[in-house]
Amino acid sequence: MFTPTYVAQQIINGVNLGSMYALIAIGLTMVYGLLRLINFAHGDLLMLGAYLGLLLVSATFMPLILTLFIPMLVIGFLGILVERLAYRPLRGAPEVTMLITSLAVSSIIENSMVMTVTAQPRAFNLPAGVNRLHTVAGVSFSTLDALTVGLSVALMAALTLYVRNTRTGIAMRAAAENLRAARLMGIDINRVVMVAFFLGSMLAAAAGWLWAAKYSTVEPFMGFLPGLKAFVAAVIGGIGVIPGAVLGGYLLGFAEIFFVGFLPPAFSGYRDAFVFALLLLILLIRPNGILGASTEERA
Amino acid sequence: MSRAMEGVRRVNINGATRNLLVGCAYVALLATLLWLAQSTLNNYYLRILAVIGINIILTVSLNLTNGFAGDFSLGIAAFMSIGAYTAALLSLPVAMKTASFPGLPAWLQTTSIPFLPATIVGGAMAAAAAVVVGVPVLRLRGHYLAVATLGLMVIVRVIANNWQDVTRGARGINGIPPLSNIWWAFGWAALTIYVVWMVVHSPYGRAMIAIREDWLAAQARGVNVLRTRLLAFVLSAFFAGVAGSLYAHLITAITPSSFSFVITFNIVVMLVVGGMGSITGSVIGAVLLTLLPEGLRQVETALAAGGTPLYGLSQIVIALLAALVMIFRRQGLLGGREIRLPGMTER
Amino acid sequence: MRRTWAFLSLLLAVSLVLAGCPAPVMTPAAAPAATEAPAQETAPAGEPIKIGALYGVTGGMSSIDGPGLNGFKLAAKQINEAGGINGRMVEVIAIDGKSDQTATTSATTELIEVHKVVAIGGLNDSTFALAAGPIAQAAGIPFVTAGATLPTLPEQIGDYFFMAPFGDDAQAYAIADYAFNELGARSAYMLVDQAYDFTTALARFFKERWEANGGTIVLEDTYNSGDTDFSAQIARVKALDPQPDVLFISAIPNEAGITTKQFREAGLTQPIISGDGFDTPLIAEVAGELADDVYYSTHASLDNEAEIVQSFVAAYEAEYGRRPENAFAALGYDTMNLIADAIRRAGSTEPAAIRDALAATQGFQGVTGVISYPEGQRKPIKSVTIIRVQDGVYSFVTEIQP
């Protein structure tokens, strides 16, 4: 039953899904690393990015690439705005306080969308060429799949270079390592956090656009589950570490696809339970995730 | 020496007796109020009251883990679900079970027990699940517990969705006898408050607070950190299971999706708005945040009748309120303090 | 501490005012039908008839319940414009159940105890109908579900509970028969959403009929609503040899378009068949020209030339500026009219009399077909419409009498 083509097909599917999880997880992990905040509103920024993309794709004749980049920019700034309004006043507050606030922000965004654009799922269609199917040695993938993987890798590489080599990037890593020490070293924490929110939200918007394109639908609640799963991915990989988020994202994508693809159909329904069971297992073996450094969070 | 001891003991007994008397007085007061409510209010208000009682149970018991022990659990929905399914399966009439649950084990199919024991077993099952999950997971701290308990919620829901013989999958269980009322809800709420109060003011409670403030120091002073946190987690799960049973017998129809993240979110907001680490704060949070959405919905309905439907407004206002409380009064309304009822002495 | 107290008392006072005393906010006089009915001035005096509309306008059900409520209110508006029921205006009290069982049950008691409605309509999912129905039953208020299709609902809840739609059995049998007899299919693949009562029931009835007809099920696969990636399941279908004749997908509207698109993109060309969960413009919008050879059973076809259908579509467009989003708009519309028809025939607004009149409904002409309740049953015998999607265009195929 598991012919080489079948396996190859599942691997392609896993890479695809994993790329999107990785993109989302990066934003979550950067923010968590700096502020110890599980940003539940991250998935909603993804959703807003998808809606904005839909608006541009369907209402204008602009080149496809712009319909992706404009939402990325706009949502990036929106991320800064959310941080400024909702999270900055809470700087230094207990983690729980920020978590509640992020849940509140999420609820506000989702319900505002239901009230304004209604909850009707809308179709997100790209020009026909993007969905063209290519078959190589019995394994099929669309142009969009290739685009998803290529774009994700490019964005992640750019981000890694940025964090490795620029002053702000280095400051960001220092702050994630030890916020207080970084501040004492003269690093402008507000700026660093702002940049993290900008970059993370940008990637979320890109993921939202790709997600909407792949699954062809947008609706106000579409961001919740990807956001949650991406956080799981970040935890698996080692939260606070960007390569960890990437690794976790791909691992989760593969795990999900393989779970559904290689076990009898009766187990397909257990997909999400499996994802979280995997999370628990990894946490028990490596509480700080695969690439995570040991921190004071363990008891 | 011995005379002095006797003196101390007598004072203690007197204090205890006094507390007992005051306690009885409060129980009597609560009973009178409930009786008054029962005889004057219509079913709508009685239902809202019952929901308030259930929310008090959930919030106060969550306070034990999240407020006092300093853990952050998001497992309420999971434990409620376990309690609700267990209790419902136990209390369903036998005739209904044979018709709707052909796959159930014979002993369960032919048993139907009253509401109170069913609820207790429901709570116990939730507590048992908490032990199984807690022993490994409580080795972790901070957000890891939050994520792990969130994962538990998803796992429980998926199992409930797929375990056809016992849970009937997505069809859920319906026709559960409508046994919940304000008496059960507030009776259990009073018990929850009493137990949590006793625990918090016992050596265990002091240990919890010590762990919350500085677990390393607490451990160095000989506090068994894991066991203390486990106690809080399991006790909290027990009452969540009880609340789940009360919920199931109030709504009368449960499905795996009845116990969603929304419930957890609402209870956490009640807890944090009321003020973590304050039992009276939890009660106030639960009362306020049950009444407020209900009231806002009345506004929505009236607006819709007036031609401007603004459905969704109440959720936004609640979320906004929660965010504002966090920003401007992050310690919650009571900020960890207690409102002492007149007559109660410090234990 | 004093500030805390002051703040607390203020909050408590506000919420008590909001929750405890709905009266000042919404006395019947203040809830104006005035904006709606120019005919009101000439209408005979008399209190309006209060009818409850219970829908999950926000949350998970909102994409289905929102249009449902719109249809419901449209019917009430038309009734009032035509002079009301037996000379009395209709006042629809619409409460949001928030797609949440607690809120839905509270809303039901509120409708009954506070607003004193004489009948309630709404809800499109049996999860919520099973929670709300027993409350109305206990209070002796007729409840008509607009779109919950679990066929056993009326028996489970009681004699005050009515269904406006057909049951899942009817629509599953219809599509099974159609695929077997008209499409000539003999082997079927099933993909079932495990998260909904509706999708699992539909699959159960489909399988029952399919096998009774002599067809075979080659593979049964599952997923959970919210999954957006079906590549693993699809790969499994592709690995089947021989290939199934039809693909039966039991999904809710949110997944109808995605599944169709992904199955077609993967090169699977068999007819896709389903029930009213597929009744959504999303199939064509999402799958575009890939939406080929899709057949589903549903309540009504908006392309049906019948006058009642076309005038409903036109009125809905005029009122809300868009075509009805899905069949649930039509079902909401029919539900309100069905209740109004019963009140008219009862000549009374006594809930018991309305119940009796509802139970005696014969040949009620609705947008979604003719509703008659057979003696002692509260689930209508209704025709099932089969719709075909070809090149992204929906067309009416046939009506099947179960």
Side-chain angles (χ1 to χ4, degrees):
Chain A
M1 158 149 193
F2 301 135
T3 57
T5 29
Y6 181 85
V7 176
Q9 184 73 61
Q10 299 292 28
I11 290 177
I12 288 189
N13 294 337
V15 172
N16 221 316
L17 188 62
S19 297
M20 287 190 273
Y21 282 150
L23 277 184
I24 310 167
I26 289 174
L28 284 165
T29 215
M30 282 199 293
V31 167
Y32 186 91
L34 292 171
L35 299 178
R36 299 283 176 271
L37 160 69
I38 305 180
N39 187 8
F40 274 96
H42 197 65
D44 296 296
L45 293 181
L46 176 153
M47 176 265 293
L48 289 176
Y51 266 98
L52 199 54
L54 170 69
L55 191 74
L56 296 177
V57 166
S58 55
T60 61
F61 295 97
M62 66 175 65
L64 198 61
I65 200 74
L66 278 185
T67 68
L68 170 65
F69 284 157
I70 294 176
M72 281 173 67
L73 267 183
V74 174
I75 301 299
F77 284 111
L78 192 67
I80 294 182
L81 188 72
V82 168
E83 192 273 327
R84 192 77 193 77
L85 289 179
Y87 303 144
R88 189 171 300 178
L90 290 170
R91 197 67 55 76
E95 299 163 5
V96 183
T97 335
M98 289 194 291
L99 185 123
I100 301 279
T101 312
S102 81
L103 282 169
V105 171
S106 163
S107 170
I108 291 171
I109 296 179
E110 280 173 16
N111 281 297
S112 308
M113 288 302 278
V114 172
M115 286 173 78
T116 49
V117 303
T118 79
Q120 293 304 321
R122 276 159 216 265
F124 186 102
N125 283 319
L126 296 174
V130 184
N131 283 320
R132 185 171 303 131
L133 215 57
H134 311 276
T135 307
V136 179
V139 180
S140 47
F141 61 93
S142 65
T143 312
L144 179 67
D145 292 338
L147 184 74
T148 303
V149 177
L151 189 73
S152 309
V153 171
L155 285 173
M156 287 184 275
L159 183 81
T160 311
L161 285 177
Y162 178 82
V163 173
R164 282 251 170 90
N165 300 323
T166 63
R167 288 185 65 87
T168 317
I170 294 168
M172 191 182 294
R173 282 189 295 145
E177 197 84 15
N178 189 332
L179 195 73
R180 269 183 61 192
R183 183 181 289 134
L184 293 175
M185 294 299 288
I187 290 175
D188 182 352
I189 298 298
N190 280 343
R191 203 180 110 81
V192 168
V193 170
M194 206 173 83
V195 172
F197 266 91
F198 180 74
L199 294 175
S201 308
M202 245 173 79
L203 296 186
W209 192 93
L210 292 169
W211 194 279
K214 169 94 177 145
Y215 305 119
S216 311
T217 346
V218 291
E219 46 106 7
F221 309 108
M222 68 182 275
F224 183 77
L225 207 58
L228 201 62
K229 284 190 181 168
F231 186 75
V232 170
V235 173
I236 289 177
I239 192 138
V241 202
I242 291 175
V246 177
L247 179 69
Y250 279 106
L251 263 182
L252 189 68
F254 275 117
E256 254 190 62
I257 293 287
F258 283 11
F259 180 83
V260 180
F262 291 108
L263 286 176
F267 290 99
S268 299
Y270 286 95
R271 180 181 189 154
D272 289 348
F274 168 74
V275 168
F276 283 93
L278 182 76
L279 166 79
L280 292 184
L281 196 73
I282 289 184
L283 281 185
L284 293 178
I285 303 168
R286 280 192 70 89
N288 291 303
I290 298 170
L291 297 183
S294 122
T295 62
E296 77 285 7
E297 288 276 46
R298 259 193 302 175
Chain B
M1 182 77 179
S2 73
R3 283 243 301 270
M5 284 272 284
E6 255 181 51
V8 169
R9 187 179 291 158
R10 189 169 326 120
V11 170
N12 271 349
I13 289 169
N14 283 349
T17 322
R18 184 154 166 271
N19 269 356
L20 188 69
L21 283 174
V22 173
C24 285
Y26 275 113
V27 169
L29 181 68
L30 178 67
T32 318
L33 285 177
L34 289 181
W35 178 78
L36 265 177
Q38 182 84 62
S39 48
T40 53
L41 297 177
N42 67 31
N43 284 333
Y44 169 60
Y45 296 105
L46 289 177
R47 177 173 282 271
I48 301 293
L49 275 180
V51 173
I52 289 179
I54 294 175
N55 284 341
I56 289 177
I57 300 173
L58 289 166
T59 313
V60 170
S61 66
L62 185 69
N63 205 346
L64 206 53
T65 29
N66 293 22
F68 291 105
D71 285 320
F72 196 69
S73 160
L74 289 173
I76 306 171
F79 296 125
M80 275 183 83
S81 186
I82 294 171
Y85 269 100
T86 310
L89 279 171
L90 288 171
S91 76
L92 269 184
V94 172
M96 200 172 277
K97 280 193 209 177
T98 36
S100 310
F101 294 87
L104 221 52
W107 63 270
L108 190 55
Q109 214 172 56
T110 50
T111 347
S112 175
I113 64 175
F115 188 30
L116 180 62
T119 302
I120 293 173
V121 177
M125 287 295 282
V131 174
V132 173
V133 177
V135 171
V137 163
L138 284 174
R139 285 169 42 209
L140 314 170
R141 271 198 82 96
H143 281 165
Y144 293 118
L145 184 69
V147 179
T149 44
L150 205 59
L152 180 69
M153 180 191 89
V154 176
I155 293 172
V156 168
R157 197 189 64 214
V158 171
I159 291 176
N161 250 331
N162 288 281
W163 196 9
Q164 295 288 341
D165 281 351
V166 173
T167 62
R168 302 215 318 149
R171 283 176 289 171
I173 304 179
N174 49 64
I176 302 168
L179 299 172
S180 274
N181 54 32
I182 53 171
W183 297 95
W184 284 115
F186 278 93
W188 276 106
L191 183 71
T192 311
I193 294 172
Y194 177 74
V195 170
V196 171
W197 185 278
M198 293 302 276
V199 169
V200 167
H201 291 85
S202 76
Y204 273 115
R206 308 247 171 254
M208 281 174 202
I209 294 167
I211 294 168
R212 178 184 74 190
E213 298 302 329
D214 187 342
W215 68 269
L216 212 56
Q219 196 169 36
R221 294 283 297 183
V223 172
N224 187 333
V225 173
L226 183 62
R227 202 176 64 186
T228 310
R229 290 168 64 212
L230 192 63
L231 175 84
F233 189 59
V234 170
L235 205 57
S236 166
F238 173 81
F239 284 112
V242 166
S245 164
L246 293 171
Y247 178 91
H249 291 84
L250 181 73
I251 308 292
T252 74
I254 54 171
T255 66
S257 50
S258 303
F259 305 96
S260 67
F261 189 66
V262 177
I263 290 192
T264 308
F265 172 56
N266 286 340
I267 301 295
V268 171
V269 170
M270 289 174 195
L271 174 67
V272 177
V273 166
M276 295 217 286
S278 160
I279 296 173
T280 31
S282 297
V283 175
I284 289 169
V287 174
L288 276 181
L289 283 160
T290 314
L291 288 180
L292 206 58
E294 207 53 42
L296 284 168
R297 193 166 68 171
Q298 309 255 358
V299 176
E300 278 180 6
T301 308
L303 281 174
T308 39
L310 280 178
Y311 297 112
L313 186 72
S314 66
Q315 286 99 320
I316 292 181
V317 171
I318 298 293
L320 211 55
L321 194 75
L324 288 178
V325 170
M326 290 303 96
I327 291 171
F328 293 109
R329 202 180 158 81
R330 61 176 66 156
Q331 70 275 40
L333 296 179
L334 286 199
R337 285 184 305 247
E338 296 290 356
I339 295 176
R340 296 211 173 271
L341 297 174
M344 282 289 186
T345 54
E346 177 81 43
R347 261 184 56 97
Chain C
M1 197 63 189
R2 178 165 298 162
R3 264 183 57 210
T4 313
W5 270 111
F7 188 54
L8 274 182
S9 345
L10 185 71
L11 261 179
L12 191 66
V14 169
S15 43
L16 278 178
V17 166
L18 282 172
C21 338
V25 192
M26 44 177 327
T27 49
T35 48
E36 292 180 359
Q40 200 199 26
E41 287 160 40
T42 54
E47 290 277 294
I49 303 172
K50 288 187 177 180
I51 293 171
L54 185 57
Y55 280 101
V57 196
T58 55
M61 292 300 297
S62 45
S63 62
I64 290 174
D65 278 17
L69 177 60
N70 285 342
F72 198 97
K73 291 205 299 208
L74 174 65
K77 185 183 170 194
Q78 290 181 344
I79 291 167
N80 285 340
E81 279 169 357
I85 304 173
N86 300 337
R88 287 172 65 184
M89 291 295 120
V90 173
E91 184 189 337
V92 171
I93 309 219
I95 304 193
D96 179 12
K98 298 182 181 175
S99 308
D100 171 82
Q101 285 181 311
T102 315
T104 302
T105 48
S106 304
T108 316
T109 34
E110 188 189 336
L111 283 171
I112 296 169
E113 304 278 345
V114 180
H115 300 293
K116 309 280 183 205
V117 297
V118 296
I120 304 176
L123 294 183
N124 290 316
D125 189 88
S126 47
T127 302
F128 300 104
L130 280 167
I135 295 171
Q137 173 73 27
I141 300 292
F143 191 113
V144 183
T145 177
T149 43
L150 186 69
T152 50
L153 281 175
E155 292 157 42
Q156 282 177 285
I157 292 169
D159 59 347
Y160 274 79
F161 190 90
F162 295 83
M163 287 170 70
F166 48 61
D168 287 329
D169 46 355
Q171 58 166 326
Y173 294 167
I175 194 68
D177 289 353
Y178 184 79
F180 194 87
N181 299 329
E182 307 298 324
L183 301 177
R186 290 298 175 266
S187 61
Y189 159 81
M190 291 173 72
L191 179 66
V192 184
D193 180 354
Q194 290 288 313
Y196 289 92
D197 193 7
F198 154 67
T199 47
T200 50
L202 190 74
R204 206 165 54 244
F205 290 118
F206 174 81
K207 190 178 176 185
E208 178 190 309
R209 183 67 154 227
W210 187 255
E211 289 178 340
N213 281 347
T216 54
I217 306 285
V218 289
L219 181 66
E220 234 184 302
D221 213 336
T222 60
Y223 71 99
N224 273 308
S225 180
D227 290 356
T228 35
D229 187 287
F230 302 91
S231 47
Q233 285 95 334
I234 289 169
R236 196 147 40 215
V237 188
K238 290 187 82 173
L240 286 175
D241 187 33
Q243 284 282 296
D245 296 338
V246 283
L247 310 169
F248 172 78
I249 300 177
S250 192
I252 61 161
N254 287 30
E255 270 94 30
I258 307 169
T259 46
T260 305
K261 176 168 185 251
Q262 292 190 9
F263 273 73
R264 288 293 184 246
E265 270 178 1
L268 292 163
T269 54
Q270 297 93 331
I272 291 176
I273 56 175
S274 187
D276 68 340
F278 260 51
D279 191 352
T280 159
L282 276 176
I283 300 175
E285 285 172 18
V286 167
E289 56 210 26
L290 289 173
D292 231 7
D293 252 349
V294 178
Y295 300 83
Y296 61 85
S297 53
T298 189
H299 308 273
S301 163
L302 296 181
D303 299 319
N304 194 328
E305 312 253 295
E307 202 263 326
I308 183 166
V309 179
Q310 287 317 310
S311 67
F312 161 71
V313 173
Y316 194 96
E317 252 186 303
E319 181 76 15
Y320 301 107
R322 54 182 181 264
R323 275 172 69 82
E325 290 89 338
N326 46 42
F328 294 97
L331 282 168
Y333 182 82
D334 281 356
T335 303
M336 177 63 231
N337 279 325
L338 182 67
I339 294 172
D341 174 66
I343 297 176
R344 209 170 277 133
R345 281 185 287 112
S348 151
T349 54
E350 275 303 307
I354 298 174
R355 192 221 81 89
D356 292 343
L358 268 173
T361 301
Q362 288 298 326
F364 168 83
Q365 194 72 47
V367 176
T368 61
V370 179
I371 295 177
S372 302
Y373 293 113
E375 184 70 34
Q377 278 186 40
R378 293 170 306 283
K379 180 183 76 173
I381 303 286
K382 253 171 122 175
S383 57
V384 181
T385 301
I386 303 283
I387 293 194
R388 176 185 197 191
V389 188
Q390 193 71 38
D391 299 324
V393 180
Y394 296 66
S395 57
F396 171 82
V397 177
T398 180
E399 262 185 351
I400 294 183
Q401 293 293 338

